[in-house]
Amino acid sequence: MSSEKKLHPETYAITSGRPKSEAGASLNVGISLNSTFEAGSGLGYGRYGNETWKALEIAISEFEGGETLTFSSGMAAISAVFSILPIGAPLVASNQGYSGVMTLLKSFHESGRLEVRFVDVTDNQEVISALKGAAMLWLESPTNPCLDIANLQTLIAAAKKMNIGVGVDNTFATPLVQKPLALGADIVMHSVTKFLAGHSDVLMGSLSTNDPALYKRLEDARKFNGAIPGPFEAWLALRGIRTFVMRFEKAQSNAKYLVEQMKNDKRISRVRYPGFGAMISFEIVGDAQAAERVCAASSIITHATSLGGVESLWERRRRWEIESHVVPENLIRLSVGCENSGDLWDDIAKSLDAI
Ligand SMILES: *Cc1c(COP(=O)(O)O)cnc(C)c1O
């Protein structure tokens, strides 16, 4: 097998998860609308498996490695991971990240469901010190919305040396930038809602792992907690993956162009961009109200939450009460889409006049 030439992402984005090639075969997997299957073989019941999920899971595994399970949302996927940890288990996690995860972890910590040790993931020493006796390290890198970077290589290696499980939320970077399983992580998670599906029309999550025993536990969590994806949503997400590589490359090149313009604009005081990807967070010269006016003034960029779609979106993150107070009041998170970069900059430059 090792001599087999590995295909490139833009190829397997298109070839993976297809029905078996034979005379008369359908090109695309069907939308399997079945709550049950005849006895005597594989799937059994609709909460246990579905051929449309399976096709999507095969495609995600091509990108991330391992075996993949899809869920009804990114939060459902993350919840499945936390659900298999023992009551009161110590979990090390970033003190700043996706607000839904932060909210869930804070409530788990308060109720005693987990003992969460919140750390600054940019500080290797702080993370490694917190690992002692922990059951799991949960990382998100870059973080949403501050775009902080965790040194995955160092932190995963340190945790594995201590026999601690590692999960990585790879939603922002995507497997085109980093592959946590290849770095030794046990689980890589996606909000498939974002870049993988890519059209702001579906919610879904995924977990991939190389460990068959862990896969089984997570599969049982999906079966019995019941947060399964819909077959139509799975079909849409797989359709989205066909163009994932070209969408991401276009959005990333747009983002790099916009970052250069922003750095030269006196109305912007700070630009956060990790050097890759399609997410930019920036602070304007002005307060929260001024940032709200900027977001409301655009005509191409939509003033909305979420990210990773072909359409550019932006919002002031602190408009959400659950957003971390580490995030500046005037920070605008921009998800760069696949429109023309000049049109996007014109829209931003005009909107900044609203400060
Ligand atoms: C959106 C998001 C999630 C949650 O995913 P949903 O599909 O909205 O449930 C988790 N992590 C990150 C980094 C996200 O951006």
Side-chain angles (χ1 to χ4, degrees):
M1 285 298 273
S2 59
S3 63
E4 203 175 284
K5 194 159 182 286
K6 181 82 177 108
L7 297 175
H8 296 89
E10 60 269 50
T11 304
Y12 54 71
I14 290 167
T15 59
S16 59
R18 301 275 185 194
K20 189 166 163 284
S21 169
E22 59 193 7
S26 300
L27 198 60
N28 294 303
V29 69
I31 305 172
S32 175
L33 295 169
N34 294 288
S35 63
T36 192
F37 305 92
E38 280 196 42
S41 83
L43 298 172
Y45 183 51
R47 185 159 28 75
Y48 291 13
N50 177 288
E51 65 183 17
T52 318
W53 309 349
K54 199 71 220 165
L56 170 63
E57 289 163 351
I58 288 167
I60 295 174
S61 290
E62 282 287 347
F63 282 95
E64 290 288 10
E67 295 280 329
T68 299
L69 292 157
T70 49
F71 293 78
S72 52
S73 68
M75 288 307 297
I78 292 177
S79 296
V81 176
F82 297 153
S83 78
I84 66 170
L85 295 174
I87 303 289
L91 173 88
V92 177
S94 172
N95 61 14
Q96 185 275 308
Y98 178 63
S99 55
V101 178
M102 292 286 96
T103 304
L104 186 68
L105 287 179
K106 275 182 212 145
S107 84
F108 280 171
H109 186 70
E110 279 156 23
S111 68
R113 172 65 188 83
L114 296 173
E115 178 212 312
V116 187
R117 302 172 182 169
F118 292 103
V119 292
D120 174 356
V121 289
T122 65
D123 184 339
N124 286 347
Q125 227 26 68
E126 186 178 329
V127 180
I128 292 167
S129 307
L131 286 176
K132 201 169 170 336
M136 186 173 201
L137 171 62
W138 183 261
L139 293 170
E140 176 183 315
S141 184
T143 60
N144 178 356
C146 286
L147 300 172
D148 289 336
I149 301 288
N151 185 330
L152 289 186
Q153 195 143 9
T154 302
L155 297 178
I156 292 170
K160 294 319 296 174
K161 219 159 138 193
M162 297 164 81
N163 228 352
I164 293 166
V166 183
V168 179
D169 181 337
N170 207 23
T171 300
F172 268 40
T174 85
L176 296 180
V177 173
Q178 65 193 15
K179 298 194 186 215
L181 294 185
L183 296 173
D186 299 281
I187 297 171
V188 59
M189 172 266 161
H190 277 277
S191 169
V192 176
T193 312
K194 314 292 172 51
F195 291 101
L196 295 180
H199 294 76
S200 306
D201 54 7
V202 60
L203 275 108
M204 196 171 301
S206 70
L207 301 174
S208 309
T209 179
N210 278 316
D211 176 344
L214 183 56
Y215 176 91
K216 173 78 171 64
R217 293 176 72 197
L218 294 168
E219 185 182 31
D220 281 351
R222 179 177 70 178
K223 272 185 191 171
F224 304 120
N225 294 329
I228 57 167
F232 181 54
E233 284 74 5
W235 189 90
L236 277 177
L238 180 55
R239 190 186 208 268
I241 283 180
R242 302 293 179 220
T243 55
F244 160 54
V245 179
M246 53 187 124
R247 282 186 285 104
F248 191 78
E249 284 173 355
K250 169 66 174 162
Q252 178 170 253
S253 89
N254 279 350
K256 287 179 176 171
Y257 173 78
L258 295 178
V259 165
E260 287 318 306
Q261 311 311 307
M262 286 179 172
K263 281 182 180 160
N264 296 322
D265 196 299
K266 300 262 181 306
R267 298 166 294 181
I268 294 175
S269 58
R270 179 172 177 191
V271 184
R272 298 168 193 245
Y273 183 67
F276 58 80
M279 299 302 299
I280 305 170
S281 289
F282 62 97
E283 291 149 53
I284 57 152
V285 178
D287 59 8
Q289 286 70 37
E292 287 292 345
R293 287 197 298 275
V294 171
C295 291
S298 58
S299 50
I300 295 172
I301 301 171
T302 302
H303 183 194
T305 196
S306 199
L307 58 110
V310 289
E311 48 292 283
S312 296
L313 306 176
W314 67 0
E315 66 170 336
R316 186 179 75 88
R317 277 305 290 177
R318 285 289 300 279
R319 79 189 173 96
W320 298 98
E321 221 156 81
I322 58 169
E323 187 54 271
S324 163
H325 288 207
V326 176
V327 179
E329 281 277 11
N330 61 351
L331 179 143
I332 295 172
R333 186 188 70 189
L334 169 61
S335 171
V336 181
C338 297
E339 303 90 343
N340 175 272
S341 59
D343 289 346
L344 286 175
W345 176 246
D346 289 347
D347 197 31
I348 294 168
K350 183 202 72 186
S351 302
L352 287 168
D353 288 340
I355 290 176

